[in-house]
Amino acid sequence: MDFDRSSTRRGILKGASGALALAAAARTALPGGAFAQGAGPEVKGAKLGFIALTDAGPLFVAKEKGFFAKYGMPDVEVLKQASWGTTRDNLVLGSEGNGIDGAHILTPMPYLISSGRVTQNNVPVPMYIMARLNLNGQCISVSKEYIDAKIGVDTKPFKALLDAKKASGKSIKAAMTFPGGTHDLWIRYWLAAGGIDPDKDIETIVVPPAQMVANMKVGTMDCFCVCEPWNEQLIHQGIGYTALTTGELWKDHPEKSFAMRSAWVDKYPNAAKALLMAVMEAQQWCEKVENKEELAAIVAKRQWINVPVADVIDRMKGKFDYGTGRVVENSPVAMKFWADNASYPYQSHDLWFITEDIRWGKYDANFDGKSLIAKVNREDLWKDAAKALGVAALPTSTSRGKETFFDGKVFDPADPSAYLSSLDIKKVA
């Protein structure tokens, strides 16, 4: 379905409604025609943040392979962030406040930031999602304490082990990277599907991605959800194993996004288009099989993730050794950067994330997710950039339609309330 994208330009930023109205105003003031192909960028650079994860690869490639420069943005800085919380704080500051203009980001975060749900004093900072960066590619890992059980997609056996551990007086913890973010939602869905209440039966904790392996090594958590290379590194260090890759929960699920501060895009529309085209061309490069080894070498570099290439290469090429004796070659749910419309920011996907965040209490039960999506999701800019790149087949709908999960649950973007009602464990009444 096509969500309502209408908006009018009103006043100045005053509180939550003012902030979101200002973000939406650009739709009228800056239609696709404002990004005329002949117009050059207003500035030559921008500051973009990233977390040390392989799905930030398109940003690394756009910088290293010269795609930013190709589109008139040679001074783009791609800057490592310590955590998703740091990413949020630097986006709130903006580059004018010594922060950043945009980022490789967990898809729910631009919504949580735009609505002021995760910002200091709940002040909204309008954001735009410009593109999706990838599909699939995250994993849930389990401590070697549970190696004999070979926990997989089904968490019912895991529940029995956790209940026994809890009864003995020991704490049990599941780690994710940001409350309400993708990793939080994947591990919650996985646990809840097996009858484990992530708010009552286990303690969820926040750990930055690059610190996951070290924390599991000292016994801080029983399981965690994060992107590569940290799951494969865990196996290489003999500390734990992969229970599943998240595409097994939901095949070809959306993951990270490329997002920018709305104010920056509105001020520099041609530069924003240049950035988007560079990132999209980098995604196309990353998708090619013949580039996978070079991509692995790039992301492993010190200035990017800073890990051995051996911790990256296999899963980048689609080979998953789960650390339990199970090995899958050419996984059908390996990370995708461009194939199957991976880059297109479907509004229906964003609605699922908002619906899950309603499920777990990040938004009120009656929160109007579709209205927020109409302000944050800029699939119109994506299409404009795609046309300029000569992309042959453009998506014709803002929705990918009904989505089916491993446990048989179905999300219909036309009726998210029915999906919520079908879920057994949730905070929302």
Coordinates of all heavy atoms in Angstrom, one line a residue, residues 48-51 79-94 98-106 109 113 118 177-179 206 208-209 211:
L48 N 30.0 11.5 8.1 CA 29.1 10.3 8.2 C 29.7 9.3 9.3 O 30.9 9.0 9.2 CB 29.0 9.6 6.9 CG 28.6 10.4 5.7 CD1 28.6 9.6 4.4 CD2 27.2 11.1 5.9
G49 N 28.9 8.9 10.2 CA 29.3 8.0 11.2 C 29.1 6.5 10.8 O 28.2 6.2 10.0
F50 N 29.8 5.7 11.4 CA 29.6 4.2 11.3 C 30.0 3.5 12.5 O 30.8 4.0 13.3 CB 30.4 3.7 10.1 CG 31.9 3.5 10.3 CD1 32.4 2.3 10.8 CD2 32.8 4.6 10.2 CE1 33.8 2.1 11.1 CE2 34.1 4.4 10.4 CZ 34.6 3.2 10.9
I51 N 29.4 2.3 12.7 CA 29.8 1.4 13.7 C 30.6 0.2 13.1 O 30.3 -0.1 11.9 CB 28.6 0.8 14.5 CG1 27.9 1.9 15.2 CG2 29.0 -0.3 15.4 CD1 28.6 2.5 16.4
L79 N 33.5 8.4 9.8 CA 34.0 8.4 11.1 C 33.5 7.3 12.0 O 32.3 7.2 12.2 CB 33.7 9.8 11.7 CG 34.2 11.0 10.9 CD1 33.5 12.3 11.4 CD2 35.7 11.1 10.8
K80 N 34.4 6.6 12.6 CA 34.0 5.5 13.5 C 33.4 6.1 14.8 O 33.9 7.0 15.4 CB 35.2 4.7 13.9 CG 34.9 3.4 14.7 CD 36.1 2.6 15.0 CE 36.6 1.9 13.8 NZ 37.7 0.9 14.1
Q81 N 32.3 5.4 15.2 CA 31.6 5.8 16.4 C 31.7 4.7 17.5 O 31.8 3.5 17.1 CB 30.1 6.0 16.2 CG 29.8 7.0 15.0 CD 30.2 8.4 15.3 OE1 29.7 9.0 16.2 NE2 31.2 8.9 14.5
A82 N 31.8 5.0 18.7 CA 32.1 4.0 19.8 C 30.9 3.1 20.0 O 31.0 2.0 20.4 CB 32.5 4.7 21.1
S83 N 29.7 3.6 19.8 CA 28.5 2.9 20.1 C 27.3 3.5 19.4 O 27.4 4.6 18.8 CB 28.2 2.9 21.6 OG 27.9 4.2 22.1
W84 N 26.1 2.8 19.4 CA 25.0 3.5 18.8 C 24.5 4.7 19.6 O 23.9 5.6 19.0 CB 23.8 2.4 18.6 CG 24.1 1.4 17.7 CD1 24.3 0.0 17.9 CD2 24.4 1.5 16.2 NE1 24.6 -0.7 16.7 CE2 24.6 0.2 15.7 CE3 24.4 2.6 15.4 CZ2 24.9 0.0 14.4 CZ3 24.6 2.4 14.0 CH2 24.8 1.1 13.5
G85 N 24.7 4.6 20.9 CA 24.4 5.8 21.7 C 25.2 7.0 21.3 O 24.7 8.1 21.2
T86 N 26.5 6.8 21.0 CA 27.4 7.8 20.5 C 26.9 8.4 19.2 O 26.9 9.6 18.9 CB 28.8 7.3 20.4 OG1 29.3 6.9 21.7 CG2 29.8 8.5 20.0
T87 N 26.5 7.4 18.3 CA 26.0 7.8 17.0 C 24.8 8.8 17.2 O 24.7 9.8 16.5 CB 25.6 6.6 16.2 OG1 26.7 5.7 16.0 CG2 25.0 7.0 14.8
R88 N 23.9 8.4 18.0 CA 22.7 9.2 18.3 C 23.1 10.6 18.8 O 22.7 11.6 18.3 CB 21.8 8.6 19.4 CG 20.7 9.4 19.9 CD 20.3 9.0 21.3 NE 21.4 9.0 22.2 CZ 21.5 8.2 23.3 NH1 20.4 7.4 23.6 NH2 22.5 8.2 24.1
D89 N 24.0 10.6 19.8 CA 24.4 11.9 20.4 C 25.1 12.8 19.3 O 24.9 14.0 19.3 CB 25.4 11.7 21.5 CG 24.7 11.0 22.7 OD1 23.5 10.9 22.7 OD2 25.4 10.4 23.6
N90 N 25.9 12.2 18.5 CA 26.6 13.0 17.4 C 25.7 13.5 16.3 O 25.9 14.5 15.7 CB 27.8 12.3 16.9 CG 29.0 12.3 17.8 OD1 29.2 13.2 18.6 ND2 29.8 11.2 17.8
L91 N 24.6 12.7 16.1 CA 23.6 13.1 15.1 C 22.8 14.3 15.7 O 22.5 15.2 15.0 CB 22.7 12.0 14.7 CG 23.2 11.0 13.8 CD1 22.3 9.7 13.7 CD2 23.4 11.6 12.4
V92 N 22.5 14.3 17.0 CA 21.8 15.4 17.6 C 22.6 16.6 17.5 O 22.1 17.7 17.2 CB 21.5 15.0 19.1 CG1 21.0 16.3 19.8 CG2 20.5 13.9 19.2
L93 N 24.0 16.5 17.7 CA 24.8 17.7 17.6 C 24.9 18.2 16.2 O 25.0 19.4 16.0 CB 26.2 17.3 18.1 CG 26.4 17.1 19.6 CD1 27.8 16.5 19.9 CD2 26.2 18.4 20.4
G94 N 25.0 17.3 15.2 CA 25.3 17.7 13.8 C 26.7 18.2 13.7 O 27.4 18.4 14.7
N98 N 30.2 19.9 16.1 CA 31.3 18.9 16.2 C 30.7 17.4 16.3 O 31.4 16.6 16.8 CB 32.1 19.2 17.4 CG 33.5 18.6 17.3 OD1 34.1 18.5 16.1 ND2 34.2 18.2 18.3
G99 N 29.6 17.2 15.7 CA 29.0 15.9 15.6 C 29.1 15.4 14.1 O 30.1 15.6 13.4
I100 N 28.0 14.7 13.7 CA 28.0 14.2 12.3 C 26.7 14.5 11.7 O 25.7 14.9 12.3 CB 28.1 12.6 12.4 CG1 27.1 12.0 13.3 CG2 29.5 12.2 12.8 CD1 27.1 10.5 13.3
D101 N 26.7 14.4 10.3 CA 25.5 14.8 9.5 C 24.6 13.6 9.2 O 23.4 13.8 8.9 CB 26.0 15.5 8.2 CG 26.9 16.6 8.4 OD1 26.5 17.6 9.1 OD2 28.0 16.6 7.9
G102 N 25.2 12.5 9.1 CA 24.5 11.3 8.8 C 25.2 10.0 9.3 O 26.3 10.1 9.8
A103 N 24.7 8.8 9.0 CA 25.3 7.6 9.5 C 24.8 6.4 8.9 O 23.6 6.3 8.4 CB 25.1 7.6 11.0
H104 N 25.6 5.3 9.0 CA 25.2 3.9 8.9 C 24.5 3.7 10.2 O 25.0 4.0 11.3 CB 26.5 3.1 8.8 CG 26.4 1.7 9.4 ND1 27.1 1.4 10.6 CD2 25.9 0.6 8.9 CE1 27.0 0.2 10.8 NE2 26.3 -0.4 9.9
I105 N 23.2 3.2 10.2 CA 22.4 3.3 11.4 C 21.4 2.1 11.5 O 20.9 1.6 10.5 CB 21.7 4.7 11.5 CG1 21.3 5.0 13.0 CG2 20.5 4.8 10.6 CD1 20.9 6.4 13.2
L106 N 21.1 1.7 12.7 CA 20.0 0.8 12.9 C 18.7 1.4 12.4 O 18.3 2.6 12.8 CB 19.8 0.5 14.4 CG 21.1 -0.1 15.1 CD1 20.9 -0.1 16.6 CD2 21.3 -1.6 14.7
M109 N 16.4 3.6 14.6 CA 16.9 4.8 15.3 C 16.5 6.2 14.7 O 16.2 7.1 15.5 CB 18.4 4.7 15.4 CG 18.9 3.7 16.4 SD 20.7 3.7 16.6 CE 21.0 5.3 17.3
I113 N 14.8 8.9 17.1 CA 15.4 10.2 17.2 C 14.5 11.3 16.8 O 14.3 12.3 17.4 CB 16.8 10.2 16.5 CG1 17.8 9.3 17.1 CG2 17.3 11.7 16.4 CD1 19.0 9.1 16.2
V118 N 14.5 8.9 22.2 CA 15.8 8.4 22.8 C 16.8 9.6 22.9 O 18.0 9.4 23.0 CB 16.4 7.3 21.9 CG1 15.5 6.1 21.9 CG2 16.6 7.8 20.5
T177 N 22.5 -4.2 21.1 CA 23.3 -3.0 20.9 C 22.7 -1.7 21.2 O 23.4 -0.7 21.4 CB 23.9 -3.0 19.5 OG1 22.8 -2.9 18.5 CG2 24.7 -4.3 19.2
F178 N 21.3 -1.6 21.2 CA 20.6 -0.3 21.4 C 19.2 -0.6 21.7 O 18.5 -1.3 20.9 CB 20.8 0.6 20.2 CG 20.3 2.0 20.5 CD1 21.1 3.0 21.1 CD2 19.0 2.4 20.1 CE1 20.6 4.3 21.3 CE2 18.5 3.7 20.4 CZ 19.4 4.6 21.0
P179 N 18.6 -0.1 22.7 CA 17.2 -0.4 23.0 C 16.3 0.1 21.9 O 16.3 1.2 21.5 CB 16.9 0.4 24.3 CG 18.3 0.5 25.0 CD 19.2 0.7 23.8
V206 N 22.7 -3.7 27.2 CA 23.3 -3.0 26.1 C 24.8 -3.1 26.1 O 25.4 -2.7 27.0 CB 22.9 -1.5 26.0 CG1 23.5 -0.8 24.8 CG2 21.3 -1.3 26.0
P208 N 28.1 -2.4 23.2 CA 28.5 -2.0 21.9 C 29.0 -3.2 21.1 O 29.6 -4.1 21.7 CB 29.7 -1.0 22.2 CG 29.4 -0.5 23.5 CD 28.8 -1.6 24.3
P209 N 28.8 -3.2 19.8 CA 29.1 -4.4 19.0 C 30.6 -4.9 19.2 O 30.8 -6.1 19.4 CB 28.9 -3.9 17.6 CG 27.8 -2.9 17.7 CD 28.0 -2.2 19.0
Q211 N 32.4 -4.8 21.6 CA 32.7 -5.3 22.9 C 32.0 -6.6 23.2 O 32.1 -7.2 24.3 CB 32.4 -4.3 23.9 CG 33.2 -3.0 23.8 CD 32.8 -1.9 24.8 OE1 32.3 -2.2 25.9 NE2 33.1 -0.7 24.5

